[in-house]
């Protein structure tokens, strides 16, 4: 049987990162990672674009000035959430099937074992900040829909239309092209003459994506915090909740061990409690890299009997209390990456594709 993670996969890498970014190879398969806290404080995110890098600098400024992991994580997550160009998180995120942007986010503070989350939150650009307030200022963990919006209003969050022109056009294109059995799109008698592509050619291709961001940080006191924030699966059913606001699925933090977060197809992450599992594995002595790979393998093992060809697109990140990091994706031609900011500077860390041929 094919080994999920092999030494060969370790060397299965592509370049393709921007100039100036230093790539550190993953240490998957090597049990001798030196445990050190020389890397602390530290902040990471699964986002590696320019906004992800800016987010890291914003979070790092707080950590470097002695601030808390909770504050650093919130600041960094907000940078990504308010970016209108990012169609997977916060403002500018792709809407649900009705054209409504519904956001999910969770927050966890390892120091106090507190957690908060919001799901299907509309009209608020920074759901991570609302999740943080649920964590700090209520005796609950998860608020959804209208209740989450009421709560955000109570704290004075401004309500705004989150659907940008870019996201609305991608949604409209999806509406017009998703089915030949409805009346969206140009009249039937013109369809052969004027191809829809000619109208939509300037807009990005339609993708069903699960883009999300995880932000995890350890401050100078060794306290750990994390946040996962997303607009969720694009064109999802109205009211669908993904893994991001589910504590243990899209996010888990334990001060005694470390933290983990998930992006990708939320349905599998919910069923597998993937982030909790990764932290559990680290508690048992696995490195963050090994823990990410273990969680992917665990999901595949569950489906072996049902559908051995099912390899859901997931990407996991993890960090342990020593500041060691890991990152792994289920499939893909390119190695998954994540952003890491320490006092040594910014690093784009390269992880492992667990099932590269799939
Ligand atoms: N992982 C994001 C989602 O499934 O909504």
């Amino acid at each position: 049987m094919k080994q999920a993670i092999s030494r060969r996969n370790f060397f299965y890498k592509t370049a393709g990162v921007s100039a100036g970014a230093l790539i550190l190879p993953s240490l998957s398969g090597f049990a001798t990672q030196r445990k050190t806290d020389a890397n602390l404080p530290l902040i990471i995110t699964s986002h590696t674009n320019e906004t992800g890098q800016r987010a890291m600098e914003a979070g790092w400024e707080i950590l470097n000035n002695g601030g808390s992991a909770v504050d650093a994580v919130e600041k960094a997550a907000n940078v990504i959430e308010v970016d209108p160009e990012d169609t997977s998180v916060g403002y500018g995120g792709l809407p649900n099937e009705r054209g409504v942007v519904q956001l999910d986010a969770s927050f966890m503070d390892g120091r106090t074992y507190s957690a908060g989350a919001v799901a299907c939150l509309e009209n608020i650009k920074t759901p991570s900040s609302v999740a943080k307030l649920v964590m700090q200022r209520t005796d609950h963990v998860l608020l959804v829909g209208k209740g989450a919006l009421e709560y955000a209003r109570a704290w004075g969050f401004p309500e705004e239309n989150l659907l940008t022109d870019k996201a609305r056009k991608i949604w409209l294109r999806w509406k017009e092209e998703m089915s030949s059995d409805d009346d969206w799109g140009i009249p039937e008698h013109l369809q052969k003459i004027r191809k829809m592509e000619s109208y939509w050619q300037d807009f990005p291709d339609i993708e069903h994506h699960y883009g999300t961001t995880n932000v995890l940080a350890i401050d100078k006191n060794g306290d750990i915090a994390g946040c996962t924030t997303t607009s969720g699966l694009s064109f999802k059913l109205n009211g669908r909740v993904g893994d991001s606001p589910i504590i243990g699925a899209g996010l888990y933090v334990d001060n005694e061990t470390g933290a983990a977060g998930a992006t990708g197809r939320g349905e599998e992450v919910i069923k597998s409690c993937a982030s909790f599992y990764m932290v559990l594995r680290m508690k048992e002595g696995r490195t963050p890299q090994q823990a990410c790979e273990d969680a992917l393998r665990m999901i595949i093992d569950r489906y072996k009997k049902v559908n051995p060809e099912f390899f859901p697109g997931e990407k996991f990140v993890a960090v342990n209390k020593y500041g060691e990091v890991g990152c792994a994706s289920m499939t893909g031609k390119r190695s998954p990456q994540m952003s890491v900011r320490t006092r040594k500077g910014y690093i784009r860390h390269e992880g492992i594709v667990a099932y590269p041929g799939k």
Side-chain angles (χ1 to χ4, degrees), residues 143-165:
L143 297 181
V144 304
K146 287 198 173 106
L149 179 57
E150 267 174 32
Y151 185 71
R153 266 191 209 129
W155 281 95
F157 284 83
E159 283 184 71
E160 298 164 69
N161 179 11
L162 303 183
L163 189 65
T164 57
D165 250 22

Side-chain angles (χ1 to χ4, degrees), residues 104 210-212 230 232-233 240 242-244 262-267:
D104 296 340
Y210 300 86
T212 297
T230 188
L233 170 65
R240 178 261 190 190
D243 59 310
S244 304
T263 62
R265 193 180 139 84
E267 280 66 18

Side-chain angles (χ1 to χ4, degrees), residues 258-330:
T263 62
R265 193 180 139 84
E267 280 66 18
E268 270 54 57
V269 177
I270 292 174
K271 287 188 281 180
S272 61
C273 303
S275 291
F276 179 72
Y277 184 75
M278 285 184 268
V279 173
L280 200 64
R281 294 299 280 161
M282 291 191 284
K283 208 178 196 91
E284 291 166 354
R286 302 286 279 170
T287 66
Q289 182 61 41
Q290 289 166 338
C292 291
E293 297 168 14
D294 290 348
L296 293 172
R297 194 179 301 114
M298 180 258 291
I299 290 174
I300 292 310
D301 284 349
R302 294 276 192 281
Y303 283 105
K304 252 185 200 151
K305 283 195 188 133
V306 185
N307 179 0
E309 294 308 311
F310 187 55
F311 291 86
E314 317 290 5
K315 176 181 161 188
F316 296 156
V317 298
V319 58
N320 65 14
K321 64 180 177 182
Y322 308 107
E324 296 165 345
V325 299
C327 175
S329 63
M330 186 74 83

Side-chain angles (χ1 to χ4, degrees), residues 43 55 58-60 62-63 67-77 215 217:
I43 185 163
W60 175 253
I62 290 176
L63 293 175
S68 72
V70 167
D71 289 344
V73 164
E74 180 186 21
K75 183 86 177 176
V215 181

Side-chain angles (χ1 to χ4, degrees), residues 104-160:
D104 296 340
S106 59
F107 218 110
M108 207 165 166
D109 179 352
R111 181 185 43 183
T112 55
Y113 195 54
S114 303
V118 290
C120 293
L121 177 62
E122 297 177 12
N123 298 342
I124 305 292
K125 271 183 173 170
T126 53
S128 63
S129 294
V130 186
K132 190 187 98 169
L133 282 167
V134 172
M135 172 178 87
Q136 292 180 330
R137 309 298 309 166
T138 78
D139 190 32
H140 304 316
V141 170
L142 176 60
L143 297 181
V144 304
K146 287 198 173 106
L149 179 57
E150 267 174 32
Y151 185 71
R153 266 191 209 129
W155 281 95
F157 284 83
E159 283 184 71
E160 298 164 69

